[in-house]
Amino acid sequence: MQTTTVSELFSVYDQAALFIKKNKQTDYLTGLCDAAEGLAQDVIHDDELTDKLKPLYDRYYSQTMTSEDVRRALQLAILKGMKASPQPNHELTPDTLVLLMGHMIAMLEGKKPFSILDPAVGAANLLTGIMNQSETDDINAFGIDADPLLIRLAAANANLQQKEIQLFHQDGLKPILIDPVDVVVCDVPVGIYPDQDSAEAYALKEVAEKPLTHFLFMEQGLRKLKPEGYFLSLVPNHLFSNDRNHVFHDFLQKNATILALIQLPASLFAKSDQAKSILLMQKKSGSAALAKQALLGEMPDFSNEVKMRKFMQQLDHWFLHRSV
């Protein structure tokens, strides 16, 4: 059976991670992180593993690969690690959505240089997937994450793909010391934000009795945008039903315009209460022209090729003929 480049790269990541996991008596994700860092630097850190890792490194660098090959292969290995040791903040954006959101950013930004921030970057799967689909290589990219293992994986992921991303190990809801960007993209973490003191700085803390992380990340994203910049995010379907007393509605009236809200197929999510939608907003400014009509709809199941093709045609038509 013929192997693909992605499966060959995954095999290298997987075997190297398992060797390191056994040698260090650690978990798979940590072993994978060590393996990815070693491959990115072309350095074997454990002398006793040289005989096992050197042939894998040679196999890896003998491949003719693209950045997308690297991203998809590492994504498969990260998914394996996350399934082995599930944690609430260890989740990957489904690949189909990475490709769709990357396509949307490419339609918005075209060939011009732009800056982009992911304030909950995780292992940088979504951010690098978007960068890979862009029509320009002139991208000033930033990623923030509080998880030390995920930010290490993000750095190794970016290095293996030869992507320049400035990464910050911090809570994405604390002050982010970068200039405003053209695009903020995020698969927003969902739940109650535990740091009440930091939440006090956000208007959207008032949406519910306790501050909700997903609303705070949307406010943070809009803060870090240039006027007329775009915020593209995966948000929970219960977003608007959570909006007590129209706090979120009133906030958007002042600060942003919803350009698109696309409900995703239920089949993408393990449980119905985990279902999400894609939300595209534009930060308001005095001179911004607004879309003639917001794009609202439901995405068909990915297995239905005919309906999916029609949906993508409608999506592309809206992006090409809207007025923003």
Side-chain angles (χ1 to χ4, degrees):
M1 185 176 72
Q2 186 178 10
T3 59
T4 65
T5 301
V6 171
S7 62
E8 184 68 15
L9 297 178
F10 166 75
S11 176
V12 171
Y13 294 141
D14 184 48
Q15 290 181 58
L18 290 171
F19 284 139
I20 295 170
K21 174 180 180 284
K22 183 177 180 181
N23 186 60
K24 288 190 170 183
Q25 295 187 326
T26 187
D27 61 279
Y28 182 92
L29 265 186
T30 301
L32 176 63
C33 189
D34 288 353
E37 288 174 341
L39 280 164
Q41 300 162 11
D42 198 11
V43 172
I44 296 172
H45 298 290
D46 302 290
D47 291 339
E48 62 264 39
L49 290 179
T50 299
D51 291 344
K52 292 179 177 178
L53 294 181
K54 181 66 165 60
L56 291 175
Y57 281 30
D58 291 343
R59 264 176 63 195
Y60 185 87
Y61 285 108
S62 70
Q63 299 296 311
T64 302
M65 66 188 89
T66 65
S67 295
E68 267 297 274
D69 292 333
V70 173
R71 184 190 68 81
R72 291 185 180 190
L74 190 57
Q75 172 188 245
L76 293 173
I78 293 170
L79 277 172
K80 177 178 177 178
M82 289 180 173
K83 287 179 179 179
S85 306
Q87 293 186 36
N89 62 332
H90 283 191
E91 295 177 359
L92 274 188
T93 307
D95 200 47
T96 45
L97 301 185
V98 172
L99 297 176
L100 177 60
M101 294 171 77
H103 178 67
M104 292 171 74
I105 296 298
M107 295 284 285
L108 287 168
E109 295 299 325
K111 296 180 180 180
K112 66 180 185 287
F114 66 93
S115 52
I116 185 169
L117 163 69
D118 186 339
V121 74
N125 183 55
L126 175 60
L127 182 56
T128 57
I130 288 171
M131 294 172 74
N132 287 342
Q133 291 185 77
S134 173
E135 294 184 47
T136 177
D137 292 324
D138 193 351
I139 302 172
N140 197 11
F142 304 89
I144 317 285
D145 209 279
D147 188 293
L149 181 59
L150 292 183
I151 207 73
R152 281 179 61 199
L153 274 169
N157 195 4
N159 288 334
L160 286 167
Q161 295 186 57
Q162 299 183 344
K163 300 293 181 193
E164 288 191 20
I165 303 175
Q166 295 183 58
L167 295 165
F168 299 86
H169 177 212
Q170 68 162 79
D171 182 345
L173 294 176
K174 298 288 177 65
I176 299 173
L177 302 180
I178 64 171
D179 291 332
V181 296
D182 298 300
V183 177
V184 171
V185 63
C186 192
D187 186 345
V188 295
V190 178
I192 296 171
Y193 185 54
D195 188 343
Q196 182 68 50
D197 290 339
S198 294
E200 287 299 317
Y202 289 87
L204 293 182
K205 71 181 185 298
E206 303 292 345
V207 166
E209 290 183 8
K210 295 184 178 180
L212 297 176
T213 307
H214 38 296
F215 284 101
L216 303 189
F217 265 101
M218 285 187 285
E219 184 172 345
Q220 176 77 307
L222 288 169
R223 285 180 181 180
K224 298 311 298 181
L225 276 176
K226 298 175 183 177
E228 302 181 44
Y230 296 108
F231 181 94
L232 180 66
S233 181
L234 285 169
V235 298
N237 282 355
H238 52 73
L239 182 75
F240 292 98
S241 62
N242 284 158
D243 184 19
R244 187 183 68 175
N245 299 324
H246 292 268
V247 173
F248 182 50
H249 175 270
D250 294 342
F251 177 84
L252 288 184
Q253 288 283 92
K254 295 177 183 176
N255 297 285
T257 302
I258 293 178
L259 300 182
L261 183 63
I262 303 167
Q263 187 171 321
L264 298 168
S267 58
L268 276 178
F269 306 96
K271 299 178 182 177
S272 59
D273 62 353
Q274 297 174 347
K276 294 186 177 184
S277 298
I278 293 176
L279 175 65
L280 174 64
M281 300 189 291
Q282 186 176 27
K283 186 170 182 175
K284 284 186 175 178
S285 79
S287 60
L290 304 180
K292 292 178 181 176
Q293 184 177 359
L295 176 64
L296 305 173
E298 293 184 24
M299 180 180 292
D301 196 282
F302 290 102
S303 61
N304 191 324
E305 292 185 20
V306 175
K307 287 187 177 180
M308 242 342 258
R309 194 178 301 114
K310 183 178 180 182
F311 171 82
M312 291 304 298
Q313 288 172 347
Q314 292 172 337
L315 184 74
D316 287 355
H317 183 271
W318 184 87
F319 272 96
L320 288 169
H321 297 284
R322 81 202 195 294
S323 171
V324 297

